[in-house]
Amino acid sequence: AQSVAQPEDQVNVAEGNPLTVKCTYSVSGNPYLFWYVQYPNRGLQFLLKYITGDNLVKGSYGFEAEFNKSQTSFHLKKPSALVSDSALYFCAVSPPPDSGGSNYKLTFGKGTLLTVNP
Amino acid sequence: NAGVMQNPRHLVRRRGQEARLRCSPMKGHSHVYWYRQLPEEGLKFMVYLQKENIIDESGMPKERFSAEFPKEGPSILRIQQVVRGDSAAYFCASSIQGSIVSPLHFGNGTRLTVT
C-alpha cells in the first residue's frame, strides 16, 4: 500500500527566507508525486507534480520540489517566502499505471501548516 | 471559466438525517472524484465516477454512502442516516482524463456537521 509522510505539522519562516516543507513516500515502483496547497475554507490547488524526467520540478507561485529516489523524498522548496504563502500544504502520491495500482487515486499526507512571518 | 462548484458550502444535519452534497465539475471535465477530509488529517479518496458510471468506490463506506454522476446535472454524494463520525469536509475534484497525470481541480468543499 502507498503512503505519504509529512513529518512536520507546522513550519514557520520569516518573509524573504527560503522555505522547505518535507515529504517522504512509500510506493511500489516509480511514483507520481504531487504538491497541493489549501487556503482557509478553500479546496486544494495544484502546485506541481513529478511524473518522470528531471528530478527538480518547478511549479506555480515560484515553488519547486526535488525528487530524491534514494531517500524517497519529495520536499517542497521556495527560495524566498512571502506572507501570502501561508497555508496548508499537502504532499500526495499515486502509483504509476504499470505498477498495477489505481493511478487516478491520490494518497495524501496529513498536511503541513506553513506560516510566513512578516 | 468556472471551477469545480460544490454546494452547499456548509451543511448541518442531525443524527439520522440524510445529507446530499452536490458537485458540478469544471467545464469539459467528465471525471469526478470525491475525497473526505477528517479534522487534522489529509484527504482520503472515496469514489471515482464518470458520467453514469462508478469506476472505483473502494474508498467509500459500504453502508449509508452512495454516489452518482448522472448524464445531466451534478454529481451527488449521498449519506443516509448520518452519524457524528460523518462530520468532515467533503471535497469534489474533476479532471479531463482519468489518469492522474491530468491534475485534479478541487472545489471549495462542503463542510458537514452532524449534531
Side-chain angles (χ1 to χ4, degrees):
Chain A
Q2 59 208 43
S3 65
V4 172
Q6 292 182 242
E8 302 157 316
D9 291 336
Q10 294 190 52
V11 170
N12 296 304
V13 298
E15 187 174 30
N17 283 1
L19 70 86
T20 299
V21 183
K22 296 180 180 177
C23 171
T24 59
Y25 65 88
S26 174
V27 67
S28 300
N30 296 312
Y32 292 168
L33 293 157
F34 304 80
W35 276 101
Y36 281 81
V37 59
Q38 185 180 30
Y39 297 100
N41 297 313
R42 301 292 296 275
L44 277 69
Q45 295 180 28
F46 170 77
L47 275 181
L48 51 80
K49 67 183 179 188
Y50 171 81
I51 303 297
T52 187
D54 288 342
N55 290 342
L56 185 63
V57 179
K58 294 188 184 296
S60 306
Y61 312 121
F63 283 93
E64 59 188 28
E66 185 167 11
F67 171 60
N68 187 319
K69 188 172 184 178
S70 63
Q71 296 184 3
T72 62
S73 68
F74 190 56
H75 301 331
L76 181 71
K77 300 182 180 184
K78 187 172 182 180
S80 178
L82 300 172
V83 173
S84 57
D85 292 330
S86 299
L88 193 55
Y89 289 81
F90 289 96
C91 181
V93 66
S94 173
D98 58 4
S99 73
S102 303
N103 68 311
Y104 51 78
K105 193 187 309 184
L106 291 179
T107 296
F108 285 86
K110 292 186 177 182
T112 298
L113 181 63
L114 172 67
T115 301
V116 181
N117 303 303
Chain B
N1 184 17
V4 176
M5 304 300 292
Q6 287 188 251
N7 66 82
R9 290 293 304 275
H10 300 275
L11 183 61
V12 180
R13 286 286 179 266
R14 284 196 288 272
R15 279 181 298 170
Q17 291 185 317
E18 178 180 286
R20 280 186 176 237
L21 288 62
R22 296 175 191 79
C23 169
S24 296
M26 282 184 72
K27 187 176 181 180
H29 289 193
S30 59
H31 301 262
V32 166
Y33 315 80
W34 285 92
Y35 281 78
R36 176 166 64 176
Q37 184 179 33
L38 294 169
E40 300 183 10
E41 291 193 17
L43 280 71
K44 306 284 188 195
F45 169 82
M46 298 182 74
V47 61
Y48 162 37
L49 309 105
Q50 283 182 269
K51 283 288 187 181
E52 300 184 274
N53 289 305
I54 296 175
I55 307 302
D56 183 341
E57 55 183 350
S58 60
M60 201 156 65
K62 297 285 187 283
E63 307 287 331
R64 303 186 297 107
F65 284 73
S66 62
E68 62 178 12
F69 189 17
K71 187 176 180 181
E72 301 291 337
S75 174
I76 305 288
L77 179 67
R78 183 181 176 205
I79 312 172
Q80 295 178 291
Q81 299 174 328
V82 296
V83 301
R84 288 223 171 99
D86 297 332
S87 295
Y90 292 82
F91 289 97
C92 171
S94 70
S95 66
I96 292 178
Q97 300 175 21
S99 164
I100 206 66
V101 174
S102 176
L104 300 184
H105 296 262
F106 283 84
N108 288 344
T110 293
R111 279 150 186 84
L112 172 66
T113 302
V114 180
T115 61

